[in-house]
Amino acid sequence: MTDRRITITWPNGHLSDVLVGSDWLPSAATAGVSIPTGCLGGSCGACEIEVNGNVVRACISTVPPSKSGKLTVEFATDPHW
């Protein structure tokens, strides 16, 4: 069985191929993207990103599979921050 990789388009326009199931924070750092963090436990929401339009907390989530083999990441906007 081969490792499944996915192409991610980051907010800075950089593209990277990442192993499905990888942690978001180090994957972003490798792509030159700094995702803000706070508690690193998923409760504060500082690390929220939008992945193909769905909001996830990057500190407690992993890169999901995608039928298209591609994901687009944007920084989530929260009016409370």
Side-chain angles (χ1 to χ4, degrees):
M1 181 177 204
T2 60
D3 292 329
R4 291 187 303 159
R5 298 188 80 75
I6 195 158
T7 301
I8 299 175
T9 303
W10 298 96
N12 64 358
H14 184 80
L15 296 175
S16 64
D17 288 325
V18 176
L19 188 63
V20 169
S22 298
D23 291 331
W24 277 111
L25 295 178
S27 297
T30 299
V33 174
S34 178
I35 296 174
T37 59
C39 68
L40 295 176
S43 59
C44 76
C47 65
E48 286 184 343
I49 56 174
E50 289 184 18
V51 181
N52 285 6
N54 297 310
V55 176
V56 299
R57 295 194 175 185
C59 71
I60 58 169
S61 301
T62 58
V63 175
S66 171
K67 289 181 182 180
S68 69
K70 299 176 182 179
L71 295 172
T72 300
V73 173
E74 297 293 339
F75 289 117
T77 55
D78 184 336
H80 300 289
W81 281 101

